[in-house]
Amino acid sequence: MDVTTPTQLNSPAKIHAPSNHHIHTLPIELLSSIFLYLYRDQSISRATDDLHNTHKLAFIMLVCKHWKAIVECNPTLWTDIWLGRRPQHVDARDWVGWLETLFKRSRTMPLALTILVSFVDLEDAGQVLLQHLPRCETLVIQLPEGHRILSCPFPILRTIFISGYDSRYESDYRGPLLLDAPNLRSLSSSTIHIIPFVKAHGTPPTHGSLESFSINGGWDNMMGKLPLARVSLPSLKSLSLAYTDDLWDILPKLDTPNLESLFVNCGLAEWSQQVGSPTPVLCNLRELTWYSHSDAMNEIPNLRHLLQHCPNIECFIYNCHLGSANSKQEYLLREDADDLALALSESLDETHESTPRLCPRLRRLQLACASFEQVRDLALMRPALEYVSLQFREPGEVVTQSMTAWREKVDLVRWIRSKVEFKFEMDGVAVGSDLQEEEGVFWDPVGAPLSDYL
């Protein structure tokens, strides 16, 4: 019998009792503490290929009846519940009975619930499930058909993650989905089918508890899935927007006066050369992360527009999305590959030559690529800069000229490192028997073609 599911509800259990019974002399309190530690250990995961195995301590319950009884009688060890596929040879009535037992073992404690909707028959499990959803503190749910569950009240829910993508799935739900979760802190949706928000509470109405918000817009017009009125998020600290052409329509829709971290994955966005809609100034933003894609239209002008509205950021991360083996080469061949580094080196005007035009308070900077000379200019322009890293090397940074040219590059990197902590890609260099290195700068006295080092 699988100790976690009713695969053979009328058959005796196969207990693997050890020949050594010294384990029975351990106090129950000590065993309970050990089991609780294992239960909460993130490195111990459920079998990903076995949707029936819904308890992390199945291996503990197989040791002996004594250990199995300790696990079954401790409600804390039943607060992290996974609902997967009902075994084919178990009828619906027995399966519902097992679910009732599963939830009863946690008594009235808050739940962390994962529902693999693709494998759970909601017609069978719905009646039991809906009774216990108000106890959910954490909810992970997979599409499709998640709207019925998400329409329930969640009075203590703090974290929700909605996953699943099926291009064939057509949702019957139209308009914004508003969760009745007044204490929600973190909301993340990685599916284009659901763009959830939280029902406003209080006067004036706000979504005051939400601190982290992440949505994946897809490439359809997602504005119809947003609330009509502006959404007030006074406690929001972190915002992530991915794969959407509607970036400049979403940002004005969200009132985020205390936003500190913004993540944008532009994907295959088709943006205009100029942003036509009003853009809010994100005065409290401290960290901006931007994932670039070689096929995005007008990416750099749009990014520059955003930087102009983030005057106080201290950390800027600009990385190339490594979606394919050729992502690096595609990025390095872009005509605008140098534009961002150049823009960050621009002075405010001729009378303030030492004042950067963009992000004057920048302290930490990660770029997809820049030359050593561009990094030097950044260090000169920005005395507050403390850290610079490069995802890729500039093509040709392996010196194939004279030793003097190599020494000049080494001295340049050494000077940069006297001003800032400087890191750059090391794995992309083809190391040969004649290749020499100092300060991460390579010299090939043989003079191999530059294409060998791209």
Side-chain angles (χ1 to χ4, degrees):
M1 174 181 175
D2 182 344
V3 296
T4 63
T5 54
T7 53
Q8 295 177 349
L9 293 173
N10 298 318
S11 300
K14 296 180 180 179
I15 303 298
H16 303 280
S19 58
N20 188 336
H21 298 286
H22 293 300
I23 57 175
H24 298 305
T25 64
L26 294 175
I28 292 179
E29 294 78 10
L30 177 59
L31 286 172
S32 296
S33 297
I34 294 173
F35 295 164
L36 181 60
Y37 175 83
L38 295 173
Y39 191 63
R40 292 174 174 172
D41 189 347
Q42 298 297 321
S43 66
I44 300 177
S45 59
R46 296 170 175 82
T48 57
D49 58 346
D50 182 7
L51 296 175
H52 303 163
N53 184 7
T54 58
H55 201 288
K56 289 179 67 173
L57 299 185
F59 65 100
I60 294 292
M61 289 188 281
L62 285 169
V63 173
C64 64
K65 290 182 178 180
H66 179 55
W67 283 19
K68 183 174 182 285
I70 292 175
V71 172
E72 289 181 345
C73 294
N74 189 334
T76 305
L77 300 180
W78 295 87
T79 55
D80 184 4
I81 297 176
W82 278 46
L83 295 184
R85 179 185 288 120
R86 172 168 62 90
Q88 293 182 355
H89 53 275
V90 176
D91 65 38
R93 181 177 300 178
D94 289 338
W95 179 239
V96 170
W98 165 247
L99 294 181
E100 291 176 342
T101 300
L102 188 66
F103 282 107
K104 285 181 179 178
R105 284 178 178 169
S106 63
R107 299 180 186 172
T108 60
M109 299 189 70
L111 298 176
L113 179 61
T114 299
I115 307 175
L116 307 177
V117 179
S118 299
F119 303 104
V120 174
D121 188 340
L122 294 181
E123 295 300 323
D124 293 343
Q127 184 175 358
V128 176
L129 184 60
L130 296 178
Q131 298 175 20
H132 298 279
L133 288 178
R135 287 200 287 138
C136 285
E137 198 169 54
T138 300
L139 177 63
V140 178
I141 183 171
Q142 290 186 351
L143 282 173
E145 300 177 7
H147 289 93
R148 178 182 174 186
I149 295 172
L150 295 176
S151 62
C152 297
F154 296 96
I156 67 170
L157 188 67
R158 297 178 66 88
T159 301
I160 183 171
F161 178 72
I162 305 169
S163 66
Y165 175 80
D166 186 349
S167 60
R168 299 166 297 177
Y169 171 64
E170 290 291 339
S171 174
D172 294 332
Y173 197 92
R174 295 293 182 265
L177 174 64
L178 299 179
L179 302 174
D180 187 5
N183 293 297
L184 193 64
R185 298 290 186 272
S186 176
L187 193 163
S188 178
S189 176
S190 65
T191 172
I192 64 173
H193 302 300
I194 294 181
I195 307 295
F197 283 82
V198 182
K199 287 183 179 179
H201 296 81
T203 305
T206 66
H207 312 268
S209 63
L210 198 63
E211 297 175 357
S212 177
F213 187 30
S214 175
I215 55 177
N216 178 355
W219 303 117
D220 296 328
N221 185 350
M222 63 175 289
M223 299 309 296
K225 301 177 183 177
L226 305 185
L228 295 177
R230 197 175 187 209
V231 180
S232 177
L233 299 167
S235 300
L236 196 70
K237 303 294 184 184
S238 175
L239 174 63
S240 175
L241 302 172
Y243 307 115
T244 176
D245 294 331
D246 300 318
L247 175 66
W248 304 115
D249 294 318
I250 297 173
L251 288 177
K253 176 75 73 170
L254 306 179
D255 182 15
T256 57
N258 297 302
L259 188 66
E260 296 178 356
S261 175
L262 175 61
F263 175 93
V264 178
N265 189 336
C266 66
L268 305 176
E270 296 181 357
W271 290 318
S272 301
Q273 180 74 20
Q274 295 183 343
V275 178
S277 57
T279 304
V281 178
L282 305 175
C283 295
N284 286 311
L285 197 70
R286 295 295 180 266
E287 180 175 321
L288 174 63
T289 301
W290 183 284
Y291 264 76
S292 170
H293 196 288
S294 59
D295 292 330
M297 291 181 58
N298 299 310
E299 176 195 346
I300 296 300
N302 281 263
L303 172 55
R304 184 165 180 164
H305 177 83
L306 181 58
L307 289 172
Q308 291 171 347
H309 292 78
C310 305
N312 297 316
I313 63 170
E314 299 176 353
C315 177
F316 176 40
I317 300 171
Y318 177 81
N319 280 343
C320 174
H321 177 65
L322 299 179
S324 66
N326 298 321
S327 296
K328 174 181 176 180
Q329 286 74 15
E330 291 172 355
Y331 179 85
L332 295 175
L333 292 174
R334 286 172 52 170
E335 295 181 357
D336 60 358
D338 292 334
D339 289 359
L340 181 58
L342 296 173
L344 292 172
S345 299
E346 290 180 352
S347 60
L348 183 61
D349 53 49
E350 294 180 357
T351 61
H352 298 81
E353 294 182 356
S354 62
T355 303
R357 181 180 295 275
L358 296 174
C359 315
R361 299 186 180 184
L362 204 60
R363 294 170 48 244
R364 297 180 64 84
L365 178 63
Q366 297 183 40
L367 293 176
C369 185
S371 67
F372 295 152
E373 289 76 15
Q374 289 171 333
V375 176
R376 175 201 60 199
D377 294 343
L378 286 168
L380 287 169
M381 174 60 63
R382 299 175 176 274
L385 202 60
E386 300 173 358
Y387 174 89
V388 178
S389 70
L390 304 179
Q391 188 180 14
F392 307 134
R393 285 175 176 264
E394 183 84 3
E397 288 295 2
V398 175
V399 179
T400 58
Q401 303 161 356
S402 65
M403 177 179 285
T404 301
W406 174 53
R407 297 303 313 174
E408 290 176 352
K409 287 279 189 181
V410 171
D411 292 341
L412 176 56
V413 173
R414 187 173 287 125
W415 180 90
I416 293 172
R417 286 182 169 149
S418 71
K419 303 297 181 182
V420 300
E421 183 181 354
F422 181 41
K423 296 182 179 180
F424 51 89
E425 181 191 44
M426 299 292 290
D427 297 336
V429 178
V431 179
S433 58
D434 296 321
L435 208 61
Q436 300 184 36
E437 179 270 333
E438 189 171 341
E439 292 288 345
V441 181
F442 292 86
W443 175 48
D444 185 1
V446 177
L450 295 182
S451 59
D452 289 353
Y453 305 107
L454 294 180

